[in-house]
Amino acid sequence: MAIRLYNSLTRRLDELRPLTPGKVTMYHCGPTVYSSPHIGNFRSFLFADVLRRFVEDQGFAVTQVMNVTDVGHLTLDDIEGGEDKMEAASRKTGKTAWEIARQFEDEFHNCQRQLLVRMPHHMPRATDFIAQMGSIIDDLLQKGIAYQVNGNVYFAIAAFPGYGKLSGKVIDELEEGARVAVNEEKRDARDFALWKVDHKHQMQWDAPFRGGARGFPGWHIECSAMSMHYLGRQIDIHTGGEDNMFPHHECEIAQTEAHTGQQFVQIWMHARHLLVNGTKMSKSLGNFYTVQQVLDLGWSGLELRYALIRVQYRQSLNFTMDGLGEARASIARVQGARARLARIAAGKEPAGADDLAAAAARAEAAFTAAMQEDLNVSEALAAVFALVGDSNRAQPTAAAASAALRSFARFEDVLGCFGAEPKAEAAGDVPAALQELLSQRQAAKKAKDFAAADRLRDQIAAAGWKIVDTAQGPRLERA
RNA sequence: GGUCCCGUAGCCGAGUGGUUAGGCAACGGAUUGCAAAUCCGUUUACGGCGGUUCGAUUCCGCCCGGGACCUCCA
């Protein structure tokens, strides 16, 4: 069986066949660092993370690059001479654009850690690749595919017949009413900027190409430059949010393929935007959450991660606070089963004679099949929970418990949304004082002094432990 | 206006031309002094109207509702 992924370019499920056998190259459009990362951003980044983890699980050596866009995003106003988002944030806060970029880049990395993202191998900043962008621009100018007007360099759409092949946009003339400002400099309204000149701009560089003026790069060129630098002229997978498909990725394809003469990306993947409380997230509707805001509400990174990956990336996940509660309960169910298996495997709880190996193998096969079919996490989770049920029902041998534990470890390795394997807590691991309280409670129960028993339970709970009564007697677990 | 996606039981969400998704919640039962955990069971659904079919939630058409993109956006 092979991994099949929905390719936006071909509009069907394509089998992942790496350019170099056994190795997969991935590029992910990363954050634009002018504000705090929100949960919508991380739905996309977590999708990329799960993709990477699963591809690795399937035996491929993955090289992952995610850029940090720290320059160049133009606001609508910019078309009429306004400023870009970095600069706008700078004006509002009094910090320089550079300070803004570093601040939110740090915040982004922190969010990645909190959400247990496996760090990409490279996370380059656009501002560190001005020279590389310049050499592409230079080449496009030499080839006559790009042209310069008043220092601004534009990519000529007319010179690249494939323009529109990703997004399916075959625009002869731009629609009246669409948000397109007329730019007299462009030969074609669809031409996009590779290099911009604006003396008011804080971030400026001497032209990194021949015959240019001091300015700053357009938005799209950075990804071409960094992707090529780290991964070569052709890569296996490129991901981003659905909004990136047009114009960003369309432009990346145009400039990169015009430059190299080769197909840029094999499989383009786009994550659907999430909804919050059933509608698009927006500050004015009051349903806008940064990652930090959710964490500040008392939810763990693990819980948020679960809530954001539980639905397949191409479905519009509806994010709600109830959903976080479900995530918390679901994680607890999985961890409860793993903890019991761990106790049995460690000989801290009596083993039985049941063999869970078949159930574990079944669950793994279902999990793999679900993930292979375009990362169907919802279905994969069903396989995980099937093993939870089988485990809880069984009285496994120690070896069988270990086997099931290994399957859970694999599920965790791919999804990362359950947490580390619970420790096998047993009598010896519990503080003696608490063990004494537990004994007293047992005595109180025997004497039918339930008020005292409940008091003792409250004391134990106050110490951060909870009592679990079982057929083998009571046990203490960390709450 | 153009292009496209979706509408599944209380909620979140898989999937399928005729057979139990799963999670959460609720209720009943087992266990239990109570609670928690666990197990068993119950609530059996596919927006509406037509059409194709022996049979459609699953294919087609229309309608209603929600959403996305059309150079800020993950």
Side-chain angles (χ1 to χ4, degrees), chain A residues 357 359-361 363-364 387 402-412:
Chain A
E364 287 209 46
L387 186 55
S402 295
L405 239 20
R406 281 194 294 278
S407 294
F408 279 115
R410 181 181 161 225
F411 300 150
E412 170 63 9

Side-chain angles (χ1 to χ4, degrees), chain A residues 321-338:
Chain A
M321 286 299 145
D322 285 350
L324 283 169
E326 290 178 18
R328 177 172 287 175
S330 300
I331 292 168
R333 180 162 159 76
V334 173
Q335 292 299 69
R338 292 173 86 190

Side-chain angles (χ1 to χ4, degrees), chain A residues 271-287:
Chain A
R272 196 79 194 271
H273 280 182
L274 62 66
L275 268 31
V276 176
N277 299 331
T279 185
K280 187 176 181 177
M281 186 166 66
S282 79
K283 285 176 180 167
S284 61
L285 288 173
N287 66 347

Side-chain angles (χ1 to χ4, degrees), chain A residues 65-205:
Chain A
V65 177
M66 178 180 284
N67 65 293
V68 173
T69 298
D70 56 354
V71 65
H73 268 212
L74 307 183
T75 60
L76 271 183
D77 290 344
D78 195 68
I79 294 166
E80 292 147 26
E83 58 194 344
D84 77 26
K85 294 205 165 191
M86 301 290 308
E87 305 260 335
S90 169
R91 181 170 49 74
K92 282 176 193 150
T93 61
K95 296 177 181 172
T96 68
W98 295 94
E99 287 168 341
I100 299 284
R102 291 299 175 272
Q103 174 192 336
F104 290 113
E105 182 181 326
D106 287 347
E107 200 175 317
F108 178 75
H109 292 319
N110 183 44
C111 287
Q112 284 182 118
R113 284 188 289 274
Q114 299 251 39
L115 293 183
L116 310 164
V117 171
R118 200 167 281 175
M119 288 296 167
H121 304 85
H122 305 282
M123 292 202 65
R125 295 170 181 145
T127 51
D128 289 333
F129 282 80
I130 302 296
Q132 288 84 346
M133 296 185 220
S135 63
I136 298 173
I137 294 171
D138 194 67
D139 178 63
L140 293 174
L141 281 169
Q142 297 306 312
K143 286 177 174 158
I145 294 167
Y147 58 94
Q148 195 170 175
V149 183
N150 299 326
N152 296 320
V153 179
Y154 297 102
F155 182 96
I157 285 310
F160 187 76
Y163 192 80
K165 66 182 177 182
L166 175 66
S167 59
K169 299 199 181 302
V170 284
I171 324 159
D172 287 331
E173 283 300 324
L174 284 163
E175 187 65 35
E176 287 291 329
R179 299 180 308 202
V180 178
V182 180
N183 182 332
E184 302 290 331
E185 290 183 355
K186 294 183 184 176
R187 293 177 189 167
D188 184 312
R190 294 168 296 166
D191 291 351
F192 57 92
L194 296 171
W195 189 258
K196 300 270 289 180
V197 169
D198 178 353
H199 298 303
K200 298 192 298 291
H201 216 261
Q202 286 183 33
M203 292 177 155
Q204 293 204 54
W205 294 264

